[in-house]
Amino acid sequence: MNIGRAVLSLTAVTGLVALSACSAADASGGDGRLKVTASFYPMQYLAEQIGGGHVDVTGLTKPGTEPHDLELTPRQTGELGESDVIVYLKGLQPAVDDAIAQSGVADTVDAAALTPLEDHGTEVDGHHHTTGDNHSGDEGGEGDHGDEEDAGADPHIWLDPVRYAKVAEGVGKALAKADPDHAAAYAKNTTALVKKLDALDSDFVNGLKNRTSDTFITTHAAFGYLAERYGLVEEAISGIDPESEPSAARMKELHTLAEDKGVSTVFFETLASDRTARTLAGDLGLKTAVLDPIEGITDKSAGRDYLEVQHSNLQALRAALGAK
């Protein structure tokens, strides 16, 4: 009788353990890892670096796809709702913002809420540029270049290593909240990544010393925060939206500016069209080079990850600005 009860109790306990283990596996993607969905590469990079082996990260934006233009399939929208954590940047991809709002996922990390966004894309004192003092964090102004709808908060915060480090810290805290059992690992990985980003910041500061020019021309206004951080002036052919077309007045202004400021190089990107940039460079007899906004890593990227491509960007800026 007692033996029978013991067997029955053991069976019940075993069943409960199996049931709870199954539930835990279901909540974490079936293999015990936290299911994290990242909206595009810079968010995916943070989740992978901080999460390590404890997370299963899915990126919504395929390499080589322009993130601004992303449209989600019904399947992607459905899978989004199965995430444990979503890491995204509100305002960059409207389709993603809408899907997240309807997903019902409790643990979401909005990078735009972790560091203040600034309005790059509005005309300031008749000029279309972003400028700033070294490490000042003060506001800059970037032209809308004839496209009023293009004005507004600039989402490209990841190109400033200091702002990106703030986002990394927020992602680390979110992963720890969703998966307390591995909080120590997430904290350790966050600290290691922030240290690397601090070193990258120092590399930019030191690498851009003794430059002969502050001004560079880009295809679209992606580098406002980077320019502001290091006291540079970004002159963009298009505005925040890489698809916007520059006005004739803007092109004329760039011709004058390039001559006045001693601009040597017109930068284009790997994902956006380089047609206008190459035309402008050809008209002015300037060099062309790549300055990568790191919205995705492809075979054409000058590096295998965020840090490597940022170092390539630094070398390209050094050459264009005459840094010794």
Side-chain angles (χ1 to χ4, degrees), residues 191-274:
T191 299
L193 178 57
V194 168
K195 190 174 180 181
K196 290 177 184 177
L197 293 172
D198 287 346
L200 176 64
D201 174 46
S202 296
D203 288 343
F204 266 93
V205 172
N206 295 323
L208 293 171
K209 283 179 178 175
N210 304 317
R211 59 184 182 261
T212 57
S213 175
D214 292 335
T215 304
F216 62 99
I217 296 176
T218 58
T219 303
H220 95 283
F223 299 90
Y225 294 108
L226 184 145
E228 184 177 279
R229 177 65 57 189
Y230 303 111
L232 307 178
V233 178
E234 176 193 54
E235 294 285 357
I237 296 171
S238 302
I240 298 295
D241 178 0
E243 301 302 319
S244 63
E245 288 293 326
S247 64
R250 177 57 181 162
M251 294 302 288
K252 183 179 179 181
E253 186 180 22
L254 286 169
H255 277 73
T256 304
L257 177 142
E259 293 173 3
D260 290 349
K261 301 295 183 181
V263 174
S264 68
T265 307
V266 178
F267 288 112
F268 61 94
E269 303 167 14
T270 49
L271 295 183
S273 170
D274 61 359

Side-chain angles (χ1 to χ4, degrees), residues 74-146:
R75 181 178 176 180
Q76 284 178 307
T77 303
E79 289 174 349
L80 191 69
E82 298 170 8
S83 308
D84 295 316
V85 179
I86 301 172
V87 186
Y88 73 116
L89 203 168
K90 190 173 183 179
L92 180 72
Q93 299 168 290
V96 174
D97 296 349
D98 292 343
I100 290 172
Q102 297 168 22
S103 69
V105 175
D107 290 312
T108 62
V109 189
D110 173 14
L114 297 171
T115 182
L117 298 192
E118 295 177 5
D119 287 346
H120 299 153
T122 52
E123 191 167 315
V124 177
D125 299 330
H127 298 289
H128 305 274
H129 63 248
T130 289
T131 183
D133 296 329
N134 190 20
H135 280 241
S136 67
D138 294 337
E139 286 187 21
E142 211 166 274
D144 64 3
H145 319 322

Side-chain angles (χ1 to χ4, degrees), residues 7-24:
V7 170
L8 187 63
S9 298
L10 182 61
T11 303
V13 169
T14 304
L16 283 171
V17 170
L19 184 63
S20 62
C22 180
S23 299

Side-chain angles (χ1 to χ4, degrees), residues 266-295:
V266 178
F267 288 112
F268 61 94
E269 303 167 14
T270 49
L271 295 183
S273 170
D274 61 359
R275 179 176 51 85
T276 309
R278 289 190 180 280
T279 299
L280 178 65
D283 290 347
L284 295 171
L286 303 179
K287 292 180 284 187
T288 57
V290 172
L291 201 60
D292 195 331
I294 327 182
E295 293 173 342

